[in-house]
Each structure stands twice: as C-alpha cells, then as structure tokens.
Amino acid sequence: MQGGGGGGSESGSMSTVSRDENMVVSSEDSSCPDESGLELGLGLSLGGGGGGGGGGRQGGGFKMHHVSKGGPYARILTAKDFPSSSLSSSSSSSSSSPSLSKANVTAGTKRTAESVAVAANGSSQVVGWPPIRAYRMNSMVNQAKVLTMENRKKETSMVENSSIGGYRNDGNTKLKKSTFVKVNMDGTPIGRKVDLNAHESYEKLAKTLEDMFLETAPSVNPSGSTALQLDMLNRMTRHSKLLDGSSDFVLTYEDKEGDWMLVGDVPWEMFLTSVKRLRIMRKSEATGLAPR
Amino acid sequence: MQKEMAYSFPDEVLKHVFSFIQSDKDRNAVSLVCKSWYEIERWCRRKVFIGNCYAVSPRMVIRRFPEVRSIELKGKPHFADFNLVPDGWGGYVLQWIAEMAGAYPWLGEIRLKRMVVTDESLELIAKSFKNFKVLVLFSCEGFSTDGLAAIAASCKNLRELDLRESEVDDLSGHWLAQFPETCTSLVSLNISCLGSDEVSFSALERLVDRCPNLRSLQLNRAVTLDKIANILRRAPQLVDFGTGNYAAELQPDVFSNLAGAFSSCKELKSLSGFWDVVPAYLPALYSICPRLTSLNLSYATIQSPDLIKLVSHCPRLQRLLVLDYVEDSGLEELASSCKDLQELRVFPSDPFGVEPNVSLTEQGLVAVSLGCPKLQSVLYFCRRMSNAALVTIAQNCPNLTRFRLCIIEPKTPDYLTLDPLDAGFGAIVEHCKDLRRLSLSGLLTDHVFEYIGTYGKKLEMLSVAFAGDSDLGLHHVLSGCESLRKLEIRDCPFGDKALLANAAKLETMRSLWMSSCAVSFGACKLLGQKMPKLNVEVIDETEPPDSRPESYPVDKLYIYRSVAGPRFDMPPFVWSMDEAVKILH
C-alpha cells in the first residue's frame, strides 16, 4: 500500500525514519486533557528527492534546521528565507499579486456565494456554520419533531407547557435548517449525503443529485468565470432527467415505515417529514414500486 | 558508548524500566537514544496512537511495533463534523483491521474517531481478536446493528463498547441479545446514538443485571423515563449514567420510584442524556446532585429557572454542558454555586435564528470567568461580544487551556465600539499562557493573528473562519505558533504566499485544512512537488482543478504530513498533488 516514506531506508537514515514515524505515531491528542504540547526534536531534511538544498534557489532554500523544544536553533522558514524570485517562478503568486488579490476577492466571494444556500425563509445560510456537529443538529430536529408529534397525538398537552414553550418561546418553530440524508446509487459503491432543507423542491433536489452522481462532461472551457457561470446556468435550467423518466435511473426513497417509494408523488413538505434516505435505482429494478 | 550501555543494562532490565513509560512522547524519546534502545522499545510498545490514519500505513506500524495491544486511530479532518468534508472522502478502517488481524492476534483495544467502519470491519474484529476488550467508535459511521451483533456475540470478555455520536444503521433491535449469558465483563456501554427501534430493553436489563462491574452506561433516547429506575436499581454501582428520554406525565409514584433509584446510586458522579426533559422530574436528581462533577444537559430544552434550581444543588460541579436557555442569569448562578467548575460548554438552541431567542450574552461568560477560578475549557455560542469582555475573561482566567468562542453571525464586530475583536482575542492569547486550543469568530483583521503568532506559543489547534485581511495573517500564525499541530481555516482571504513561505512548517504539523480561501491550484501543485513528506490533497466536487487556470483558487485543501506517501483510496473528487500520482483519474 505504501511505497515511499520510510520504505527501504531502515539501514541508512534510521533516525530520520524513526523520527518521522515518531511524529506521526505519537500521543498528540488535543482531546486528551493530560497531554502537553510540544513536538520532539525534528531532523527533517527537505527536498530529499528534489536535489536537496544544493540545487538552485528555484523554489528551494527549504533547508529546515533542527527544531527542538524552545531550543536556540529552532527556526522555521519565514518569508525572508524564501527569495521572491523563487515565488515568481510559480505562475501567479507574486508577479501578478494585485490582480490575484482581485481574483481572490472575486473567487472568495463567489465561492462563499456558492457555499451559501438560501434557506426557505430567505435568510442566507452558510454551509457548516455555525459549527455545530451534525450529531447535535440531528438530535435537535428529532427532538422538535417528537414534540410536534406529541402535540398532535394529544389534545391536552401531557407534558408541562414550559418544556415545549421553551423550545419555541419566540413564536416561530425554528427547526434546524439542515437535514442530511444518505443517497446511494445502484452500481456506485460510495454513497453521498445531501441536505434536503437546502432544496425547496423536487426539481432542485434531483438536479443536485444528478450533478453528484450522473456526471455529464463538464462544459467549461478554461477561460474562467464567464464559462463557469454559463455552465451553472445550463445546469440550473436543464430539466431533470431523474424525475421525467428519461434516464435509466429513477429516484426513490425509504420512508419512516421502511417502504421504498418513488420520489415526487407527495407534496414536498410531506416528503421532508417522511423520508429517511434516498436511492437512485435502476429503472429495471424499480418495477412494482408504488407511488403513494 | 553504545556497547558500554548494552553491557551495563541487559535487555530485560531495560524492558522492565521501559514498561513504566506509558507516554508516547517519552517512548519516542527513548527510541531515539540508540539502536539497541530503539529495538528494545519497539518490541515492548503496547499502545499506539495515530492521529491521522493516512500519516502512516498499517504495515509500517506493524513492522515497527510487533506487539501492540491497543490502537487508536483518527480519520477525517475535524471540519467533517460540520459537513465540510464530502461523503466518501475516506477514513476507512477496514485495511487496518485486516492487516492487524494477521499481525496482532492479541490486540485488545481499538479506539476510532471520525472513521468509516463497516459491518465487515466489525465482523473481522469479532473473529480475529480473541482477547478483545475495548471498542470505542467516536463519531464514526458506515456500520449497522448487524456489525454490533457480531461484536456482542463473539467478544467474550468485552469491557467497553462505546458508540458515542456515531451513525448506526438500524436493522434490528436484537443485537443486544447477542451478548451471551456468560458475558459479565462489561464496564462501559454507550449506546446513546442509537435510534428508537434499535435496542431490546429486556436484553439490556438482563445484561446490566449480570455485569457487576458496569460503571458507565449511556442509554439511547428510546428508553423512557419510567424504565430508568429499573436500570438504576440493577446497577447502583454506576459512576456515569446517561438517561434516555426524560419526559413523562407527572405521576407521584413514578417520581418517587425514580428519586429512590437515583439515591441508591452512591457512586454516581456524571449524568448525561436528558432528551425531552419534563422539569418536574428534575428534583428526582437532587439526592445525587451534591456528588455530581459532570452534567451534560446540552440536549435538554429546559428554561433558565429550572436550570438554576438544578445547578444550585451541584456545588461540586466541574463540567457543565448546557443550551443557551441557561441565559446570563443561569450562568451567574452557576458562577456563585459551582466554584470547582473547570469546563463550560454553552450550545445554541436556535442557531439559525436571526434574532436572539434567549437572553444569553457575553455577560454570562464574564460572570463565570469571575466566579470560577478553575475554569480551563470554554465552548461558548453567543450573538454578541466585546473586546472589554474578552479582556476581562482573559484576566480572570489565566489558566484557560481551551477557548472556543462562536459568535453566530460571521464578522460580528465589538457590539459596543464596532471595532474588530482583535484586542479581545489578543488578550486571551497573551494572558492564557497555557492555551492549547483556540477557535476564533467575529470581525477579525490580520492583527489578531499577529497576537496569536506572538503569544500563542503553546497553541496546538487553531480554528479560523471569516477572518483576516491578507496572507500576512496566515503567515503570523505559521511562523509564530511553535506548537501548532492542527490548523483549520475556512472562508479567509489567505492565499499562496504565506503557505509557500512556510511550507516547511507544515511538516511539523499534523494537518492543515483550508476551504473557501484563495490558495491557487498552482501553489498546491508546487507544494506537492517540493514537499514529498506532505500529502497535498485538493477537494473539488464540481470539476477537476486542472480544468481551470492554475491561478484559480481551489475549493478545499487538506495538507498533512505522512510517511506513507499518497493514499490510494481517494474518491473522484479528491486530487493528490503528489507527482507520483496521476492528477487526472
């Protein structure tokens, strides 16, 4: 499985290898309260294959000196060690910095824009923010659902008002905004996850899934953002093959009772409350799947 | 010199001495003294911790340490917790299990975090290790109750089965019944993550009955309040207990039964669970509150007055996890009641609401910092903060080792002055000299990173989001934080310069994550070329990074040091920048 790294170098640079191995096999565990921080002495020699420090300044000067616990020779390369000429060798880093930073801003903004899904109530929601573990989010949504179902079941609330009222004391039932469900596709070993609440309709969901699983050749030419935007537009307006029956696959879901249903036959909101997971099924296997 | 050492200390003596050395760091140091010490040490190392499963290969570990009994592995990057790492990224444990099955027949303990564990892996564990004792699957996924059934059935001396926060596919509720009647060895059982139908309660009761050494039990949500008493009466020796559902219609006999059951647990120090709480049942805990050191109410949607009442009964509390329903008033009460408090985590009840739904502000945290001198670890979600508050907190709590502040709206400034929060966080790193972990939020410029680089000498893990102005920020951190091991960054304007200038630093760290930043594909390639001991991986779910110009920023970047070379289980949306691996798959 591994070829490089410490492979055959036991005899020669044993200490380097074992130090390297020691670095990766050590109790650096920030979740463990008793561990103290610092690394052991490191004797890295960089660019082992790439001509060490002897070669030109080309991206070089990477010699790393012995770093020890607060020792006098601890030295980490700073921008000063890295002559600007070597940076300019890589296409764009330094020579075009003004335009790069512009591009950065654009790209950064664009990327952030892409990573923002507009939630149902119009407020923009950034993926993975606030940083709350998926486990906790799932617990909270299940909790709210239980409370809602309990309310439906009994006319008089069986639990004290304060507990339900507490969760919704601001008047709006703000459930969590992300519901990730698993998606598997026949013939693809690796499943994916998709956030149902980031989509407002079956069409949008199907398109996301098509992008994820049914890869069409990306229609970009390398001239940057315009082409990318055009491509995004194409993808957004393209009719969903999964839903209109023109693909070899159909989209199905498993509901809370464990039955597999065809996606699309119940109102979207109802679908959201009953779906457990999705499966992109071969059409041939989907016979007998009853829409509700 | 070596020869003299060898003659004066025969191997057996050295081995005996080494057996007292438990810490990996010390063992690593021992192994570097000389060749013979290296040899002796490697044969007697029993416990291995691998913080990044891709940093080393199973074969390398086995070759060096032939007699391992306990292994701990971590897989996915931390940001996977927040859905930033696409599914299918990696972290598969099967290969490790398969190789260890042959090499370590006496392996007794496996602890995994953020890894993909399949039923096949679990079945392999069950049949390969005759002396298997401990299985901890922390935040793992990929397995079902079938795999658990295999473990339960085969592991005759199982002591610990801990599935905390993992994702388990429920297929059948009867896996618990697979524990043979002869299994009496359980010490710790955490099934809190299981869904409703997955646990046969009668099997659980019988299991608890026959395991007299059970110290830690975390039930899942489906277990209703009325059943708690039954369990507790069967296990009065419990030290750590997680309830299931804590809601029921208020009935006096149920209440007194529950209160009685709790009071019979004289060793109980730690409580968790508390889904769906009915506050009227909280007083059932009062008898054990004086002994409680740890309380996790972070799923309990109870209001501040009830929380205050409960907390005021717990003077020995060292650790509290709670929702922001506790409000500033609750935290003030905490500060006056719980002088031993070391760890506080406050989670948001309505993280996506635009307006605050509760009265929890920076004041609560300030109050705790004032009242609880032993405070070391903080995780705090709130909606506003000020530099003044942060400075106060820093001055009150110089012993902080972990400080994670999440101001919910990105780039929120000091609400009093509208300044960035640089000075506040600067005070934290300056005063808290032992700070090991820091998470930033709010409006922050490059200045905060200057402070961090200057003062954060013991900082090991730093999480950054929506902060900084330029590469200088990243450069301060990489060049100044000597102890840095893990750095994770999202949505910051950090580009190539700082990264390339500090490339060597990356080899001294476990890993670096950067997403939605401004690092170009070209820079990634350069890093991959020049740094053979780093694995530079670009993650892009939309299209191959080389279908765009080299100057185009990559979407997500994960760099980690490795002695195993590039990995071979990358999914199509992960590209390795290693020259030896083809970029286009």
Side-chain angles (χ1 to χ4, degrees), chain A residues 5 21-23 26 28-30 37-38 44 46 77 126-127 129 133 136 143 166 180 192 228, chain B residues 49 64 74 81 83 165 221 276 298-299 303 408 460 483 485-486 490 502 507 510 541 561 563:
Chain A
E21 285 185 354
N22 283 349
M23 277 192 289
S26 75
E28 12 152 289
D29 182 4
S30 65
L38 294 174
L44 295 169
L46 300 178
L77 292 179
V126 179
V127 172
W129 190 267
R133 280 192 151 156
R136 178 168 293 281
Q143 195 153 18
F180 281 86
R192 304 292 296 277
L228 200 61
Chain B
F49 170 88
R64 177 157 172 204
K74 293 188 182 178
D81 284 351
N83 293 318
E165 300 194 24
R221 197 168 190 163
D276 314 318
S298 62
Y299 298 102
Q303 297 301 292
I408 288 177
E460 295 177 13
S483 313
R485 293 193 285 109
K486 291 179 273 185
R490 63 164 295 177
N502 293 285
E507 282 190 11
R510 183 190 295 177
E541 291 181 272
R561 67 181 173 192
V563 293

Side-chain angles (χ1 to χ4, degrees), chain A residues 80-149:
Chain A
K80 293 196 289 285
D81 302 310
F82 210 98
S84 54
S85 57
S86 59
L87 273 180
S88 63
S89 67
S90 74
S91 46
S92 53
S93 315
S94 60
S95 52
S96 53
S97 36
S99 51
L100 180 64
S101 47
K102 263 203 203 144
N104 287 350
V105 169
T106 328
T109 324
K110 178 202 263 300
R111 194 82 37 58
T112 318
E114 282 171 7
S115 69
V116 169
V118 177
N121 66 359
S123 67
S124 64
Q125 175 208 337
V126 179
V127 172
W129 190 267
I132 298 168
R133 280 192 151 156
Y135 178 78
R136 178 168 293 281
M137 304 270 256
N138 290 338
S139 288
M140 279 169 67
V141 92
N142 286 336
Q143 195 153 18
K145 276 187 190 158
V146 164
L147 289 173
T148 321
M149 279 173 0

Side-chain angles (χ1 to χ4, degrees), chain B residues 7-22:
Chain B
Y7 286 133
S8 44
F9 293 108
D11 289 5
E12 288 72 34
V13 174
L14 282 172
K15 229 186 183 170
H16 183 66
V17 172
F18 294 170
S19 69
F20 293 102
I21 300 174
Q22 303 293 337

Side-chain angles (χ1 to χ4, degrees), chain A residues 120-187:
Chain A
N121 66 359
S123 67
S124 64
Q125 175 208 337
V126 179
V127 172
W129 190 267
I132 298 168
R133 280 192 151 156
Y135 178 78
R136 178 168 293 281
M137 304 270 256
N138 290 338
S139 288
M140 279 169 67
V141 92
N142 286 336
Q143 195 153 18
K145 276 187 190 158
V146 164
L147 289 173
T148 321
M149 279 173 0
E150 297 265 311
N151 283 343
R152 283 203 211 113
K153 265 196 279 179
K154 298 170 183 359
E155 283 313 302
T156 57
S157 59
M158 82 165 191
V159 295
E160 282 194 8
N161 276 326
S162 58
S163 66
I164 302 180
Y167 192 63
R168 294 189 268 148
N169 65 356
D170 55 344
N172 40 358
T173 327
K174 287 262 170 62
L175 304 181
K176 75 170 179 69
K177 289 293 203 296
S178 297
T179 318
F180 281 86
V181 293
K182 286 197 181 155
V183 192
N184 285 84
M185 173 161 153
D186 287 352

